Amino acid sequence: MKFTSHVLALASLTFHLAASSTISSPQNDINSRQQNTWPNGPFVTDGRYIRDTTGANIKYAGVNWPGHGEVMIPEGLQYQSIATIVSKIGSSSGGIGLNAIRLTFAIQMVDEIYANGGKDIALQKAFVQGLGQTNGTRVLNQVLAKNPQFTANTTRLEVFDAVAAECYRQKIYVHIDNHISKGMWCCGTGDGNSWWGDTYFDAQKWARGLAYMASHAKAWPAFVSLSLRNEPREPTSNPSLAKSSYNWQTWNTYMRQGAAAVHAANPNILIFLSGLNYDTTLTPVVRNQPLSPSSQTKFNLSDFPGGPQKKIVLELHNYETGATSCSSLQNNLYNNGFQSMATNPGTGINVFPVMLTEFGFAMDANTYKGVYATCLANYLPTQTAGWFIWVLVGSYYIREGIQNYDEAWGLFTRDWTGWRSTGYVNGVLAKMARDTLAR
């Protein structure tokens, strides 16, 4: 990207932030929350730790709940009520004891709100738009039967609101994640959503969408943090864009822009930054190395909002499911970013909380007994920030053109009635959560 495009994008951000405050009208404001009541926010970072207002160390033991697909609402509601799903996640109603969800959304949802004069579209239109007239109507009726608090005229954001409200009732943190721009399955280097300036990835609309969601979610007492973008990656379908801007220096420019948009809209939440190559590395950020192609520019926390309030958290993904050595897997995590949380990280290292916001594998009778899953089950609870497993869903409304897509990596069965791998979920994941939250 040319420097002038960065200037124009940043200049237009003021307009978008003002517009988001006009269009979004949360029912309540964060100022109405009482301090020293759950979740004891706002959270801040303190070196390698996340702390609440009491000074306690906060760790996430969570699960990804996608809401970024073509329908653009959280998955699974045709099979179970929101209350039932959340009760299975948490601990207050006999669930597996997780304390957080990573709730994903698409920028397209916000774009459509702006295009519709500030009003979100109704579920009836969302399901027909995503699944077609016949199947969309049928699945919507199933959703309404399981969730009778909704009607066909309920909007998508009102569904997100209901999920967040139920999480608050059951004391589960809500972390929202901008997973993609165009609502669809993610991710691939040729999907048009890979990098700023890609086919569907408009930088100005992205910043506007982040600001809108950060502002809207002020009404959610359980809302504590937001990820700026899921898995930045090389845009292979746009070679000229990849050659000119797929680098750490451009990443730094846009991460600062996105963080500024979020912080201006909602200064209370933590802001998560994801790295390059599908968010598998943050090495130059952690090791204070020049951000290529520059030989001088380095990551500087003072360039980001929050400053002394310390709102920046790093996130990594790891899918080394074929690992044969736990020590090698741990070394890779250390070198790619977890070094930032080491007790003695070394001279010149930038210290942050670093969270593994995606890892996962097939939920069958045996995969969880392998090196990858067992290593992470023992290693992640010892780290200071936390984790989110991919993925909660037993099926998707639609994925890659297939409706009611069966998710083999999902914790739930296809119909969301039970756990796909009871041995893992009840025997390993529940313990992993207990061990994480006990430290």
Side-chain angles (χ1 to χ4, degrees):
M1 293 291 178
K2 295 181 181 179
F3 176 76
T4 52
S5 67
H6 297 323
V7 173
L8 289 171
L10 289 167
S12 67
L13 184 57
T14 303
F15 167 78
H16 292 317
L17 290 175
S20 70
S21 65
T22 301
I23 294 175
S24 179
S25 55
Q27 297 174 356
N28 302 296
D29 189 81
I30 194 169
N31 293 330
S32 66
R33 303 181 197 174
Q34 296 179 351
Q35 284 195 345
N36 300 322
T37 58
W38 192 92
N40 297 322
F43 296 166
V44 296
T45 63
D46 178 17
R48 60 197 182 111
Y49 297 98
I50 298 171
R51 301 200 186 276
D52 66 15
T53 54
T54 72
N57 179 29
I58 297 298
K59 297 173 74 174
Y60 295 7
V63 65
N64 282 271
W65 188 349
H68 65 273
E70 284 86 344
V71 179
M72 287 175 272
I73 68 166
E75 303 282 349
L77 302 186
Q78 78 275 45
Y79 289 118
Q80 296 288 355
S81 69
I82 290 171
T84 297
I85 294 171
V86 175
S87 71
K88 299 291 186 182
I89 295 170
S91 57
S92 62
S93 301
I96 56 176
L98 304 180
N99 75 339
I101 62 168
R102 183 175 181 248
L103 187 61
T104 70
F105 74 95
I107 293 296
Q108 181 184 344
M109 179 174 67
V110 179
D111 292 344
E112 290 176 350
I113 293 172
Y114 276 89
N116 197 35
K119 184 179 180 181
D120 193 13
I121 69 173
L123 291 182
Q124 185 172 28
K125 182 176 180 179
F127 273 95
V128 171
Q129 183 174 278
L131 305 180
Q133 184 68 46
T134 300
N135 287 346
T137 301
R138 177 179 56 81
V139 175
L140 172 60
N141 288 335
Q142 293 172 341
V143 170
L144 300 182
K146 291 293 184 180
N147 297 270
Q149 72 273 34
F150 299 146
T151 72
N153 292 322
T154 297
T155 67
R156 297 169 298 186
L157 274 180
E158 287 172 335
V159 177
F160 278 84
D161 293 343
V163 169
E166 188 60 38
C167 285
Y168 178 62
R169 280 190 285 271
Q170 299 197 38
K171 294 187 176 180
I172 294 175
Y173 303 133
V174 175
H175 169 92
I176 61 175
D177 164 71
N178 172 225
H179 213 70
I180 203 163
S181 290
K182 179 180 173 61
M184 59 188 291
W185 171 250
C186 180
C187 298
T189 56
D191 63 9
N193 290 277
S194 300
W195 192 253
W196 294 270
D198 207 353
T199 306
Y200 307 116
F201 195 167
D202 182 297
Q204 295 181 27
K205 290 180 178 178
W206 167 72
R208 180 182 70 174
L210 292 175
Y212 185 93
M213 291 300 290
S215 178
H216 178 87
K218 285 180 181 179
W220 305 347
F223 176 46
V224 292
S225 51
L226 179 150
S227 290
L228 296 182
R229 187 69 176 194
N230 179 69
E231 298 189 351
R233 53 201 179 274
E234 184 177 3
T236 56
S237 60
N238 192 333
S240 61
L241 177 66
K243 183 178 180 179
S244 65
S245 73
Y246 181 67
N247 56 60
W248 282 105
Q249 191 169 14
T250 300
W251 172 91
N252 190 53
T253 297
Y254 282 116
M255 284 292 168
R256 289 169 58 190
Q257 178 181 335
V262 170
H263 191 69
N266 186 342
N268 293 290
I269 57 172
L270 297 175
I271 299 171
F272 283 43
L273 312 183
S274 55
L276 266 61
N277 193 25
Y278 289 90
D279 190 23
T280 58
T281 179
L282 284 154
T283 303
V285 175
V286 170
R287 293 183 174 170
N288 201 28
Q289 297 169 346
L291 300 175
S292 62
S294 172
S295 61
Q296 302 295 325
T297 303
K298 296 182 179 181
F299 183 88
N300 190 337
L301 191 59
S302 65
D303 293 335
F304 284 75
Q309 289 79 34
K310 296 185 178 179
K311 293 294 183 180
I312 301 299
V313 176
L314 303 182
E315 62 173 311
L316 278 176
H317 293 177
N318 183 281
Y319 287 107
E320 295 179 60
T321 56
T324 58
S325 165
C326 184
S327 61
S328 294
L329 176 58
Q330 291 180 13
N331 285 339
N332 289 344
L333 287 169
Y334 180 91
N335 290 327
N336 288 328
F338 273 37
Q339 180 180 6
S340 189
M341 294 187 293
T343 304
N344 297 299
T347 303
I349 298 299
N350 287 321
V351 177
F352 303 92
V354 183
M355 200 170 295
L356 193 67
T357 55
E358 282 191 27
F359 70 96
F361 47 89
M363 286 293 140
D364 54 34
N366 295 305
T367 300
Y368 75 89
K369 300 174 185 177
V371 171
Y372 175 76
T374 56
C375 182
L376 292 180
N378 292 315
Y379 176 68
L380 291 178
T382 68
Q383 303 304 299
T384 59
W387 47 268
F388 290 91
I389 190 170
W390 185 272
V391 59
L392 179 68
V393 307
S395 55
Y396 299 89
Y397 302 120
I398 182 170
R399 171 178 159 180
E400 298 171 290
I402 300 173
Q403 298 191 20
N404 195 32
Y405 185 103
D406 186 19
E407 175 52 90
W409 288 31
L411 298 186
F412 276 120
T413 54
R414 185 175 195 170
D415 62 3
W416 294 62
T417 58
W419 301 124
R420 194 175 289 261
S421 175
T422 55
Y424 176 71
V425 174
N426 293 328
V428 178
L429 186 62
K431 181 179 184 299
M432 186 176 171
R434 289 194 302 271
D435 292 347
T436 297
L437 302 178
R439 295 172 188 252

